[in-house]
Amino acid sequence: MIHNERAIWLRFLSGADIDELNIGTDEVIAAVENVVDAHGRGRTVFEPRTHLVPDNGGAGHFNILRGHVSTLGEHGLSGVKVVGDFVPNYLQGLPSELAMMTLFDPATGVPLAIMDATLITEVRTGAMTAVGAKHLARPDSRILGHVGARGTAFANVTMLDRLFPLEEIRVTSRRPESREAFADRLRAVTGTPVRAVATADEVYDGADILVEASRLEKPQPLLRTAAVKPGAFVVPYGTVSAVELDLLDVMDKVVVDDWRESRSGRFGALRAHVDTGRLSEQTLYAQIGEIVSGAKPGREHPDERILFWHRGLSILDVALAHLILTRAEAVEAGTMLRYR
């Protein structure tokens, strides 16, 4: 070690520390929309996610996300998130997704913070769904159909409920006790009627906004092409495909968060569509950053059927981690750890 080197400290923020910061929904959506705008203007750098699949009998895998956002702080912010995706965790009383985020100064490489990123993972996905809907769904959308009850589901529904004059929220999941508990949790925070139903077909029948956030182990068509009515906004993003191959045939516009990210990895709701050429750079309408930054229009007609596929960009994690770290620094939350 070089003598007279200055000490390096970093901030550790637990899930409890982050909860006490009381980050608001509107702040989360704004942070995500701002970083999507930065992406559309070329002010971000990131690598497609990679997957680490341990030899664990199929219990789950890790996603590794790396990103940099030039518009945050004095000279940008870089970060890496590792998030596990272990569906059977509920049997042990654990969340299916557990995540950790590390933040770095891009000018020196100095580590700035380590934080529980479970909340970030949950809300950033819901916020991206909301930002997409803000620009692509009909503003008068009344019925939300949502498949999936764990992980990001709560943020998806509550954030969409905040943005639209919903008259009914329909939810379902594989296990009756899961969907009923999810419906009760939603009823506790919204005045919009919430109905738990038995099948995906019931969820999507006549819906204006159709979100597919299932946790399938093998492909199965839950969101059927026939359920997509004129004017519908569709968000399929389950890890394993739950849509039919002809879904894109009825879409007027297909939007992704990032085309390079859409082509990466083994997983994703539209993986088969990319692999078979049904979704390509030629058939894609836009990346959401192009729409948010004003380079391309979003929804132009009430009857347009629009699909938004988002994989979960690392730059969203960096943006929300920055929001959390800034708030934590202001109130001196968390624990300072000596790095060297």
Side-chain angles (χ1 to χ4, degrees):
M1 182 180 291
I2 300 172
H3 292 294
N4 301 322
E5 237 182 30
R6 68 181 175 91
I8 297 176
W9 294 78
L10 56 82
R11 191 176 301 270
F12 171 73
L13 293 164
S14 69
D17 293 331
I18 293 170
D19 288 343
E20 290 178 4
L21 296 175
N22 293 314
I23 303 292
T25 298
D26 292 340
E27 294 174 281
V28 170
I29 294 175
V32 167
E33 189 163 25
N34 286 339
V35 79
V36 169
D37 175 72
H39 178 246
R41 293 184 290 110
R43 301 297 310 280
T44 63
V45 179
F46 64 93
E47 297 296 329
R49 73 175 61 202
T50 58
H51 304 291
L52 174 64
V53 185
D55 181 12
N56 58 13
H61 67 276
F62 297 97
N63 302 308
I64 298 94
L65 298 93
R66 302 148 291 166
H68 168 80
V69 182
S70 300
T71 54
L72 298 175
E74 291 182 17
H75 45 243
L77 187 65
S78 301
V80 178
K81 186 182 81 170
V82 179
V83 54
D85 194 347
F86 290 75
V87 175
N89 270 7
Y90 71 90
L91 297 172
Q92 301 182 51
L94 292 169
S96 56
E97 292 184 340
L98 291 163
M100 182 170 285
M101 186 87 196
T102 49
L103 292 177
F104 301 89
D105 182 330
T108 62
V110 168
L112 303 173
I114 299 171
M115 66 181 71
D116 178 338
T118 305
L119 176 69
I120 289 175
T121 303
E122 290 177 3
V123 301
R124 72 95 144 97
T125 306
M128 187 60 130
T129 300
V131 169
K134 180 177 173 182
H135 293 269
L136 301 171
R138 287 174 58 129
D140 60 349
S141 294
R142 296 287 194 271
I143 300 174
L144 165 62
H146 193 286
V147 169
R150 297 200 304 276
T152 62
F154 185 76
N156 274 333
V157 175
T158 53
M159 290 183 181
L160 288 169
D161 186 44
R162 197 175 186 87
L163 292 180
F164 294 91
L166 298 179
E167 295 175 355
E168 184 180 39
I169 296 168
R170 300 188 204 133
V171 299
T172 195
S173 66
R174 187 165 25 189
R175 296 180 299 128
E177 61 272 27
S178 173
R179 59 178 173 259
E180 293 295 344
F182 183 44
D184 287 342
R185 186 182 175 198
L186 290 170
R187 292 184 189 111
V189 297
T190 179
T192 305
V194 180
R195 194 154 61 93
V197 298
T199 67
D201 288 340
E202 291 175 84
V203 160
Y204 294 135
D205 183 32
D208 300 299
I209 300 175
L210 299 78
V211 181
E212 182 280 302
S214 62
R215 308 300 298 276
L216 297 178
E217 293 167 8
K218 60 183 180 180
Q220 176 190 348
L222 299 176
L223 198 169
R224 301 189 182 279
T225 305
V228 183
K229 68 177 187 178
F233 174 59
V234 178
V235 185
Y237 72 85
T239 303
V240 176
S241 176
V243 303
E244 295 180 309
L245 267 179
D246 65 355
L247 178 64
L248 301 190
D249 296 350
V250 303
M251 292 298 162
D252 296 293
K253 289 174 179 170
V254 177
V255 178
V256 298
D257 49 4
D258 182 83
W259 175 238
R260 188 177 59 161
E261 186 78 17
S262 300
R263 291 175 293 166
S264 71
R266 297 164 43 189
F267 302 102
L270 299 186
R271 172 60 46 227
H273 300 76
V274 173
D275 292 345
T276 58
R278 286 174 171 82
L279 180 58
S280 67
E281 205 158 6
Q282 287 68 46
T283 62
L284 182 69
Y285 171 67
Q287 297 182 139
I288 188 65
E290 295 177 282
I291 294 168
V292 172
S293 64
K296 288 186 177 180
R299 176 173 288 273
E300 296 175 275
H301 306 291
D303 288 343
E304 281 183 307
R305 292 177 174 95
I306 301 178
L307 181 145
F308 177 40
W309 180 32
H310 57 95
R311 304 282 319 278
L313 301 182
S314 59
I315 53 175
L316 274 60
D317 299 301
V318 175
L320 291 180
H322 175 259
L323 173 65
I324 290 168
L325 179 59
T326 302
R327 181 72 58 83
E329 288 173 341
V331 298
E332 298 185 356
T335 304
M336 297 305 295
L337 303 176
R338 178 76 182 261
Y339 175 70
R340 62 178 300 164

